[in-house]
Amino acid sequence: MPSAPPIRPLIAGNWKMNKLPSEAVPWLRTLLDRLAAAPHDHCDVLLNVPATHLVPMAALARGTDVRLGAQDVSAHAEGAYTGELSAAMLRDAGASFVIVGHSERRAYHAENDALINAKLGAALAEGLVPILCVGEREDERLAGCAREVVLEQLAGDLEGIRLAGADELVIAYEPVWAIGTGRTATADDAQEMGSAIRADLVARYPESGASMRILYGGSMKPGNAAELLAKPDVNGGLIGGASLDADQLLSIVEAAR
Ligand code: PEP
């Protein structure tokens, strides 16, 4: 069988609930200037920002190769769902990606796999690329069942989800104990889980699973990014804290080379 072409890395920031829209615009202007001076054809750059930031940031990013994404999406297309944002609204505001099933939403908003599955369907129906987050808690890793937990999440989250190609979905492996803690999975552990996720994707999507992007997330920083990103099943990063700082984000973009 011919080997699949190399997977283009995706360096994706997750700003969480940080920065004001009025701060984000000058920040993005600086980032765009610096990216223009530092060729980065080797990877895609994406910022998943609060929904309030999308319209002004998208106006600035138009015509550049920096993509914008949201951090959550409603499972519903429209209607009486106070406070929710539909996939169509996010797309219209300038998002092309959306994070789905982040561990903070699983933990603080009681999101379960059935809801995450519905959100994936809603995002895909509007042409948004979901970044599906999966990952084990520390007690689950210590109990030796990290792999089972992640595969179970994938089974529930992706049930019945049909894809036309590898670019329609991104998976982020984010061990919960590494998010925002400064602790990182070793590159070997990230690869071990990445390869288990890859096998699951290939079984589920024989046409596209081998080329789908699998990101690592959990305290990725300039100091550890190159080692993590060198692994075959770490095709980019979902980066929280370090993505708020242009210097750190640019260093991680460089580390993906
Ligand atoms: C995240 O928010 O998905 C994340 C990985 O955060 P951090 O990089 O800060 O650990």
Side-chain angles (χ1 to χ4, degrees):
M1 202 172 81
S3 58
I7 299 176
R8 185 176 167 80
L10 173 64
I11 300 301
N14 173 16
W15 277 12
K16 312 194 190 204
M17 198 171 73
N18 288 297
K19 293 193 198 291
L20 300 174
S22 57
E23 296 166 330
V25 167
W27 186 98
L28 179 60
R29 197 171 288 124
T30 303
L31 183 82
L32 292 173
D33 287 347
R34 293 184 61 187
L35 280 171
H40 53 280
D41 294 347
H42 60 287
C43 71
D44 293 326
V45 180
L46 163 70
L47 296 169
N48 294 286
V49 298
T52 46
H53 301 33
L54 284 170
V55 168
M57 290 181 81
L60 194 57
R62 194 162 298 130
T64 76
D65 56 6
V66 170
R67 300 278 159 270
L68 295 172
Q71 301 172 10
D72 183 34
V73 62
S74 175
H76 305 283
E78 63 180 344
Y81 301 101
T82 302
E84 293 266 78
L85 294 171
S86 71
M89 290 172 184
L90 297 172
R91 195 172 43 75
D92 195 62
S96 42
F97 289 74
V98 61
I99 296 173
V100 176
H102 192 280
S103 62
E104 287 154 14
R105 295 208 61 85
R106 291 182 191 252
Y108 309 146
H109 300 272
E111 291 200 4
N112 60 24
D113 292 320
L115 177 60
I116 290 163
N117 176 260
K119 290 185 173 197
L120 288 175
L124 287 164
E126 278 301 327
L128 286 182
V129 178
I131 301 177
L132 169 62
C133 298
V134 292
E136 81 285 357
R137 297 188 313 262
E138 183 158 39
D139 58 313
E140 294 166 331
R141 174 153 286 261
L142 292 175
C145 55
R147 184 188 158 102
E148 285 67 32
V149 167
V150 166
L151 294 182
E152 230 172 82
Q153 288 172 340
L154 286 175
D157 299 342
L158 294 176
E159 181 165 4
I161 297 290
R162 303 268 163 268
L163 300 173
D167 289 341
E168 288 198 346
L169 176 69
V170 176
I171 306 292
Y173 167 53
E174 299 211 303
V176 177
W177 48 270
I179 298 178
T181 59
R183 294 165 61 201
T184 318
T186 65
D188 286 343
D189 285 344
Q191 169 55 28
E192 192 180 328
M193 192 64 84
S195 126
I197 293 171
R198 175 74 62 211
D200 184 271
L201 291 175
V202 168
R204 208 175 284 283
Y205 303 108
E207 303 294 321
S208 54
S211 313
M212 223 169 261
R213 294 197 270 206
I214 301 171
L215 314 183
Y216 168 79
S219 300
M220 186 181 272
K221 307 271 182 233
N224 58 29
E227 195 187 353
L228 287 158
L229 292 167
K231 296 294 182 186
D233 294 308
V234 179
N235 317 120
L238 184 55
I239 301 139
S243 75
L244 294 163
D245 180 290
D247 286 332
Q248 292 194 47
L249 184 61
L250 288 162
S251 295
I252 295 174
V253 166
E254 199 48 39
R257 203 172 279 286

